[in-house]
Amino acid sequence: HAMKNRATVNGFDWGASQHGGVQRAMGHLRDLPIRFEAGVAERSEETAVESASSSAERQTVSRRDWLRTTGTGLGWLALPSLLEAAGNPLTAKPAHFPPKAKRIIHIYLNGGPSQVDTWDPKPELTKWGGKKLPVGNLTTERETGVALASPFEFAQYGQSGLWCSEIFAQTARQHADRICVIRSMYANTPNHEQSMRLMNTGDERLSRPSYGAWLVYGLGCENQNLPGFVTMCPGLPVADSSNWRSSFLPGAFQGTYLDTRRAQVNELIANIQNPRIERAQQRQQLDLLGELNARHQQQARSEDPALEARIQSFELAFRMQLQATDALDISRETRQTQELYRANTVHGRQLLIARRLIERGVRVVQCYHGDVQPWDSHGNIAGEHRRLGQEADGPIAGLLTDLAQRGLLE
């Protein structure tokens, strides 16, 4: 378009070009000079191409100048690779180096049990329990009273001597030497919403892509028939979908949310099966819809990420009909496996589904323990944390046992 009417380079007609032809034509340019005459670009006489008009003023420019002055030139150079990359955004991509970890199961006890009650014993806290701390008032959200010693017994486990409280005694007893405890992490605010957003997206306030979205964006998914990033919660955690959103990344990379208060496959994902028409007819419908959407996208909404995300979600939903039904159906597991996970509980069922998903190539699975923030105990910490620990400890231990038996921890 920048060359007015039509350009001929080495006998190639740009006015009727396709992207493959553009790529071939660009390959001929090299560093040869180019002449522009009356809207026609030609190579110089040294390349044996005659001018279209001998009366026009001649100007010789380098290939670099020509690309700069034609405006869309660099865009044309990039077009072939962009067209080649278009398609399924979840396609697996090579990593920068061979990874040891290929998938993530993120178990989050929303509400946040304190480290001093779980994995990080504080002898000085026990010493000062029930007394005023000698350092004066601490800069906390509320005025500090007396120190509250942990009501839980701690012990050391495994060859590593890992400290753990009675809340997660089964997990520590069976898997202490498989666990790495990081004690150096902190946040700048004690509020739940900001801290969860910081944990999941790296920013306390701004809308940023979640780490799951970034991983799937960078690495893709090994299974094109399932989402690359799945989030499970019996209800919704604090800050809800901002914990798994894709933000400015394409919508195909955001987390797929499953409400695990529901146990049946057809309830976990609405309309996962279509009882009205056969699969072949669904494919025809989707092809027609895709053609109409593509036309609409080209004509009016070429830079609208929401439309692109909707197109990709239709395609993924169609592919999920078979594999998601299988992956979410824990009745296919043996009774022994279901008992190992305590799959008759919500948390146990979530973790068993998580293992089935990562086995099938899903990249990231998040499991929130309960609705809103059940671990946010402001009173009766001893009783509430023991109850919640009984819900979480056994299924977590069962998951680690199962992963180890299947070679998924190596």
Side-chain angles (χ1 to χ4, degrees):
H1 296 293
M3 292 183 285
K4 297 180 182 177
N5 302 318
R6 189 180 296 272
T8 303
V9 178
N10 197 27
F12 180 80
D13 185 357
W14 285 60
S17 69
Q18 300 295 324
H19 76 272
V22 174
Q23 189 177 32
R24 290 192 298 274
M26 286 299 181
H28 292 300
L29 290 177
R30 309 297 178 195
D31 288 320
L32 297 174
I34 296 175
R35 285 197 310 235
F36 289 87
E37 297 183 3
V40 177
E42 299 176 344
R43 291 165 63 184
S44 64
E45 292 179 351
E46 288 79 4
T47 63
V49 177
E50 293 298 326
S51 167
S53 172
S54 58
S55 60
E57 181 180 357
R58 298 177 182 273
Q59 180 182 4
T60 301
V61 295
S62 69
R63 180 182 66 155
R64 181 174 298 174
D65 291 335
W66 177 74
L67 287 173
R68 185 174 64 245
T69 57
T70 55
T72 58
L74 290 177
W76 278 111
L77 285 177
L79 181 60
S81 60
L82 291 175
L83 290 174
E84 183 179 354
N88 189 349
L90 299 180
T91 301
K93 307 172 184 67
H96 296 292
F97 51 85
K100 290 186 177 180
K102 297 179 180 179
R103 291 165 286 275
I104 292 175
I105 296 178
H106 177 190
I107 304 167
Y108 183 58
L109 307 181
N110 38 324
S114 172
Q115 70 274 17
V116 304
D117 293 324
T118 51
W119 303 96
D120 197 7
K122 300 293 186 183
E124 286 295 304
L125 185 61
T126 302
K127 172 183 174 181
W128 288 93
K131 305 173 185 177
K132 281 275 190 181
L133 293 175
V135 294
N137 189 54
L138 301 177
T139 56
T140 56
E141 191 175 20
R142 298 174 180 86
E143 185 178 354
T144 305
V146 297
L148 178 62
S150 176
F152 306 106
E153 293 293 329
F154 277 80
Q156 290 181 281
Y157 296 89
Q159 294 183 357
S160 63
L162 179 72
W163 284 100
C164 180
S165 81
E166 60 188 272
I167 295 179
F168 299 111
Q170 182 178 347
T171 298
R173 188 166 53 248
Q174 297 177 9
H175 301 288
D177 293 328
R178 291 191 174 101
I179 295 173
C180 172
V181 176
I182 301 174
R183 297 186 172 94
S184 58
M185 301 180 73
Y186 67 94
N188 294 322
T189 173
N191 294 332
H192 294 276
E193 292 87 346
Q194 290 93 328
S195 297
M196 287 180 65
R197 205 171 287 122
L198 176 66
M199 175 186 71
N200 280 304
T201 74
D203 195 288
E204 298 171 352
R205 297 170 300 278
L206 299 178
S207 173
R208 305 283 296 181
S210 60
Y211 77 87
W214 275 120
L215 285 172
V216 178
Y217 171 77
L219 298 176
C221 183
E222 296 173 345
N223 188 336
Q224 306 305 298
N225 300 322
L226 289 171
F229 177 20
V230 174
T231 294
M232 291 185 281
C233 181
L236 281 171
V238 168
D240 51 74
S241 61
S242 66
N243 292 297
W244 55 83
R245 74 195 319 165
S246 59
S247 187
F248 52 75
L249 294 178
F253 303 113
Q254 70 184 1
T256 296
Y257 165 69
L258 303 179
D259 185 348
T260 48
R261 290 176 295 191
R262 301 174 173 86
Q264 300 302 315
V265 174
N266 59 351
E267 295 177 339
L268 281 169
I269 301 179
N271 305 311
I272 188 64
Q273 297 294 343
N274 189 334
R276 297 179 180 84
I277 61 175
E278 298 294 329
R279 186 172 171 83
Q281 292 175 300
Q282 291 181 52
R283 182 67 263 176
Q284 289 178 336
Q285 285 185 343
L286 197 60
D287 288 342
L288 175 60
L289 183 62
E291 183 178 342
L292 294 173
N293 277 332
R295 188 181 305 171
H296 179 51
Q297 186 178 34
Q298 182 180 16
Q299 293 176 353
R301 299 173 64 181
S302 60
E303 297 183 359
D304 187 349
L307 179 57
E308 179 62 29
R310 180 63 58 87
I311 294 171
Q312 294 297 336
S313 71
F314 287 155
E315 290 291 337
L316 178 58
F318 177 77
R319 298 194 302 270
M320 284 175 60
Q321 290 182 78
L322 296 179
Q323 291 217 14
T325 301
D326 172 69
L328 302 176
D329 186 2
I330 64 170
S331 68
R332 300 171 187 252
E333 298 286 341
T334 65
R335 177 179 295 181
Q336 181 181 9
T337 299
Q338 293 187 45
E339 291 176 349
L340 177 66
Y341 280 83
R342 300 181 188 176
N344 60 326
T345 68
V346 172
H347 197 57
R349 186 170 68 249
Q350 284 190 150
L351 297 187
L352 182 50
I353 291 173
R355 191 223 77 205
R356 291 176 63 83
L357 288 172
I358 64 133
E359 274 187 316
R360 288 159 174 78
V362 174
R363 188 72 69 181
V364 180
V365 180
Q366 283 188 316
C367 298
Y368 290 83
H369 184 185
D371 189 25
V372 190
Q373 45 191 32
W375 286 84
D376 185 26
S377 300
H378 284 249
N380 188 22
I381 291 177
E384 284 299 300
H385 276 24
R386 283 193 176 94
R387 177 183 66 82
L388 293 165
Q390 289 174 357
E391 294 178 7
D393 187 25
I396 292 173
L399 171 67
L400 293 174
T401 297
D402 196 23
L403 293 175
Q405 290 173 349
R406 295 169 184 268
L408 294 172
L409 287 183
E410 301 184 6

